[in-house]
Structure formats: structure tokens, C-alpha cells
Amino acid sequence: MLSKPLPSITAETLERCGVTAALDIEGGLPVISPLTGERVASLAVHSAEDAARAIEAAASAFRSWRLVPAPRRGELVRLYAEELRKAKEELGRMVSIEAGKSPSEGLGEVQEMIDICDFAVGLSRQLYGLTIATERPGHRMMETWHPLGVVGIITAFNFPCAPWCWNAALALVCGDPVIWKPSEKTPLTALACQAVFERALARFGDAPEGLSQVLVGGPELGEALVDSRKVALISATGSTRMGRIVGPKVAARFGKCILELGGNNAGIVCPSADMDMALRAIAFGAMGTAGQRCTTMRRLFVHDSVYDLLVPALRRAYASVSVGNPLESGALVGPLIDGAAFEGMQAALKEAADLGGTVHGGARASVEGAAAYYVKPALVEMPEQAGPVLRETFAPILYVMKYSDFDEVLELHNAVGGGLSSSIFTTDLREMETFLSARGSDCGIANVNIGTSGAEIGGAFGGEKETGGGRESGSDAWRAYMRRATNTINYSSELPLAQGVVFDID
Ligand code: UN1
């Protein structure tokens, strides 16, 4: 194993997670902890041939897994949830080390995995179809849902394990093997999740080989999944730029796709809002996870009658929020993932200032040395919605704008590419219902008096427009992991044709 303890992570922690991979491969994939900017491991990577082999193994696993009764498939996911509960501390710590999250957010991410597993176990007895009235006497019409095939799951650094599990837990109960291509920045968490899954597999007993696999390495592995006709569904989380490549490639081979891409999520604070509640919700939504959630609040529209009440209080919250290594100092705001994220943030702030924005915060906070990128979250008062406000910058920047007319603010709210999450803060019933109505928020998630981030697994998760249109997690998102067959059964001794068509051959 390792000769010396890694920064913030010990070989013992890794072993407890069940990670047995060699961690100091010369010339391997470097894993950098954003907490310190130091290398915590160097991993062997998979090749395109490995990816092809993984797809073959998964395709062969599908042939038997699809025949296992769904409640029995649910038993495997139930065992996984048990193992996750036992490994929660270690996995949460791994998330903190690789993605820089606070302990509470790291544990919260593992809790999301446990929650979706519990959901999937119940679902394994509820994979239902409809029966439908037919126009023909002596006939019955129904729909049946069957397992779909191999599911390729591509995930991003900022949620290194929960989105995999939203997909994997549902896919497994639906009868589909999974192959996971995690972000190159967070492969250790993926290996740990897989190791914990293997504990569940050992207890389960008779699952086929290749039911769940992880591919560690670069974009060519994601491409192998995207391009393979043997991968029935690609579920990809990441940037809109990535989605623009993945979506058309999968469509070209008539594969199925769930895309969960960027958002440019906004909040609206109305005159009747509970200001204290709004302040706290905005603070978490905009600064939590150092602004690196796809659901992070990035734009805020404040009614001009309450602007001078709310915005100074927000500025105070921004100035006083603790920034630092959350594992050591208990800080609420941890690091950006890397130097490129820092550069992107600074460029956006400069552009905003050039457009007349007043920037509060945003400077680098030197917490852990040269290679770690900690920043003070930035609150930017903008004269209008323009330039960087129209884009997602994956960093803690909140653009604040004044509004006076409710209909106008709804237009502005929807006038961006992203369509993931949204919030309104109001106690006015008309405003609330209008925001949730057909002419209100155009996002996949529309909230009232809570922030844009921190969704529960029970609802369908995803968004419209440049967010990609996919839905994962709760509600009826499971349908994307199955194929639907419409069955019409004739139990009569006649052969009436639908639509009154006559075709008598004698
Ligand atoms: C993401 O950032 O990709 O709603 C997912 C939330 C979390 C999931 C975020 N439950 O903020």
C-alpha cells in the first residue's frame, strides 16, 4: 500500500472503503485533492479495448439479469443500501477529499445514494403498465415494460457518486447492467462505490459477472460507450458543451439518452417574501458547494421595494462566510475544483465589471497553498441581464438584479439557455401560482420559498432547454430504463379489425 499517509486521506480509509487498486502507478492518472492541490493517488487507467470488453461483459450479463424477477433484483439494491449505510462515513470523506465538499455535504451525497436505493427497492415491486380499453370485442390491450439493455453512465466531478446511483439503482431493478465512466477528477470515489457494491454482490450470491463496472480514464472511454450500439441508454451528467457532443452521437445510432447538463438557475424575491428565510435559502443555494452544483443559484432578481433590505444583508453574509478546508476548519465554503475553474470565475467577474457590474468578493483566499483554489464567493450587482449573466460559470458567483414588474421578471427569468432549477420567494398566492403555471418558470424544477439546489430524490430530477431534457431519480424516471411493449390479445373466436377495416380473403 502507500508508504505515507496522503493529505487528508489515509491508506486505512481507502482500505475500509474496499479500494484495492494500486494507488501509486507511475505515469498513471493523477488524482488531485482540491483541498490541498496535492496528488493523493495515481491510478492505472482503462484502455478503449478494456471498454469494449466491459461492454461485452455487460451485454452478456443483460441476457440473464433481464430474466431475474424484478423484486429479486431489488434485493441486490437493498443489500447495497445496507452496505452504503455501513460505509457512509468513509464514502462521505472520500467525496470531501476528491470534490472538496464539506463533511455535511459529502455525507449528504452518500445519503442521496441510500435514499435512491430505498426508492428503487420499493420500485422493484411497482414496475407497472396500463391496461387500455380496446374498441374490439373479446380483446384486451395492455402495456408491458421490459428491461432495456446496458446503461452507460457518465458523471461529473461535482457530484462524484449520487448521480451514478440515481441511475444505477433504477437501472439494476429495471433489469439493466451498468457501466460507469466517472469524471477523471474523481475516480477514487467511483472505485470506492464499486468496492462497496461488490460487498452487496457477494451477499446476493448469484448475480451475473459484469452487472456493474467502472471505467477509469479519459474521454475515449466515454466515447466508447456513446458510440456502441450495445449500450442501449447513455445517461450523461456534465456541461452543455459535453451534451452537444454526446446527444447527436447517440441519436445517430438511435440510442436513448438522458442528458443532465448545465443550468443557469435563478431566484426571484418578491415584496411579500419572508426576507430572513430568503436570505438563508439564497446563501445556501448560491454559496453552498462553492457554487459547483448544477442547481446552484446563479441569478437573483429582487423587487426594487425590498432591494435595499435584502441585498445589504446578503453582502454581509457573503463577506462573513467561512472559506477554507472544510475537513479541517469546518468552513462552509470549500475550494474550487482546480485552477481552470478559478480562471473561468475571474474572467466572468471581469466581464461583469466591464458591463457595469459592482463586484463584491471573488478574490482568491490563500488557505492551503499555491495549488489549491479557494475563493471568496462573489456577489455581483448588475444593471441588467447581459454577458456572463446569460451563461453558467461553474463557480460561486451570484448576479443580482432589480426588477419592478412581475410579468417582466418572468420573461427575464426564462430568457437564458439553461432550464434546470428555479425559485420564487413570496407569500402572495397569485405570484406563487403564476410562477408554477404554464407562463411561469420554464425549468424542470420550480420551487417556492426554498432555494434552487438540494432536491430530494423522490421527484424527477433534470431540466429543459440546454439542460438537455432528461429526467433521473424519482417519480416515473424509471421508464427511461425500460422499453415499452403494447400488447393486444384476442380471446374471442372472431377477427375484427380495428378502425372498421374489412379484409375478407374468402
Ligand atoms: C448536480 O449538481 O449535478 O439538487 C446534482 C441538488 C442535488 C443534486 C445536484 N440533489 O442540488
Side-chain angles (χ1 to χ4, degrees), residues 112 158-159 163 166 237 260 292-295 452-455 461:
E112 280 201 50
N158 66 323
F159 267 76
W166 302 339
T237 305
E260 201 260 278
Q292 299 171 111
R293 287 192 189 218
C294 55
T295 49
T452 51
S453 64
F461 185 87

Side-chain angles (χ1 to χ4, degrees), residues 264-270 282 297-308 310-311 314 352 355-358 379-391 397-405 409 412-413 415-416:
N264 190 355
N265 318 300
I268 299 175
V269 181
C270 301
I282 294 161
M297 190 182 289
R298 308 197 180 280
R299 299 176 293 140
L300 183 67
F301 299 98
V302 185
H303 191 267
D304 53 16
S305 66
V306 288
Y307 193 92
D308 291 335
L310 180 70
V311 178
L314 257 180
L355 288 168
T358 307
L379 187 139
V380 185
E381 294 180 76
M382 288 299 288
E384 61 176 350
Q385 178 162 270
V389 189
L390 297 167
R391 307 191 296 266
I397 305 176
L398 180 64
Y399 300 106
V400 186
M401 289 153 285
K402 254 184 208 169
Y403 83 91
S404 52
D405 180 78
V409 82
L412 284 169
H413 177 276
V416 293

Side-chain angles (χ1 to χ4, degrees), residues 73-335:
R73 299 193 296 244
E75 172 63 7
L76 173 59
V77 176
R78 193 188 68 75
L79 293 170
Y80 188 42
E82 276 186 10
E83 294 300 332
L84 283 173
R85 283 177 167 89
K86 289 187 224 157
K88 187 174 173 184
E89 286 290 324
E90 279 84 14
L91 282 177
R93 191 172 165 77
M94 195 78 97
V95 171
S96 292
I97 290 162
E98 274 200 322
K101 294 189 189 188
S102 71
S104 163
E105 291 190 89
L107 291 171
E109 184 164 352
V110 182
Q111 187 59 46
E112 280 201 50
M113 301 175 76
I114 295 169
D115 293 343
I116 194 66
C117 285
D118 290 354
F119 179 96
V121 175
L123 181 67
S124 71
R125 291 182 184 270
Q126 299 175 75
L127 300 170
Y128 54 82
L130 301 172
T131 55
I132 300 142
T134 93
E135 64 191 59
R136 286 171 281 187
H139 283 56
R140 185 163 69 83
M141 183 158 55
M142 64 178 189
E143 55 184 29
T144 314
W145 291 84
H146 296 296
L148 182 68
V150 177
V151 178
I153 305 169
I154 299 172
T155 59
F157 79 85
N158 66 323
F159 267 76
C161 52
W164 168 71
C165 204
W166 302 339
N167 286 281
L170 296 197
L172 289 170
V173 300
C174 289
D176 306 331
V178 293
I179 305 177
W180 183 9
K181 159 67 180 79
S183 163
E184 280 162 86
K185 293 171 186 167
T186 54
L188 280 175
T189 305
L191 291 176
C193 290
Q194 177 70 7
V196 174
F197 186 73
E198 275 161 18
R199 293 175 187 161
L201 275 176
R203 288 173 63 197
F204 183 76
D206 57 351
E209 287 284 312
L211 195 53
S212 170
Q213 302 173 82
V214 178
L215 294 172
V216 170
E220 64 283 359
L221 302 174
E223 268 166 43
L225 296 175
V226 163
D227 290 338
S228 172
R229 300 170 68 93
K230 292 188 174 159
V231 178
L233 171 69
I234 290 286
S235 180
T237 305
S239 65
T240 295
R241 193 179 56 80
M242 177 274 286
R244 281 193 213 284
I245 300 168
V246 169
K249 280 189 159 201
V250 178
R253 62 173 176 86
F254 298 101
K256 293 189 176 181
C257 224
I258 298 175
L259 295 177
E260 201 260 278
L261 311 174
N264 190 355
N265 318 300
I268 299 175
V269 181
C270 301
S272 68
D274 176 330
M275 289 302 154
D276 183 53
M277 183 192 278
L279 177 71
R280 285 183 288 128
I282 294 161
F284 172 63
M287 295 191 281
T289 328
Q292 299 171 111
R293 287 192 189 218
C294 55
T295 49
T296 292
M297 190 182 289
R298 308 197 180 280
R299 299 176 293 140
L300 183 67
F301 299 98
V302 185
H303 191 267
D304 53 16
S305 66
V306 288
Y307 193 92
D308 291 335
L309 190 66
L310 180 70
V311 178
L314 257 180
R315 281 173 55 184
R316 281 193 295 278
Y318 267 70
S320 64
V321 75
S322 48
V323 179
N325 180 336
L327 279 191
E328 270 152 31
S329 66
L332 291 178
V333 178

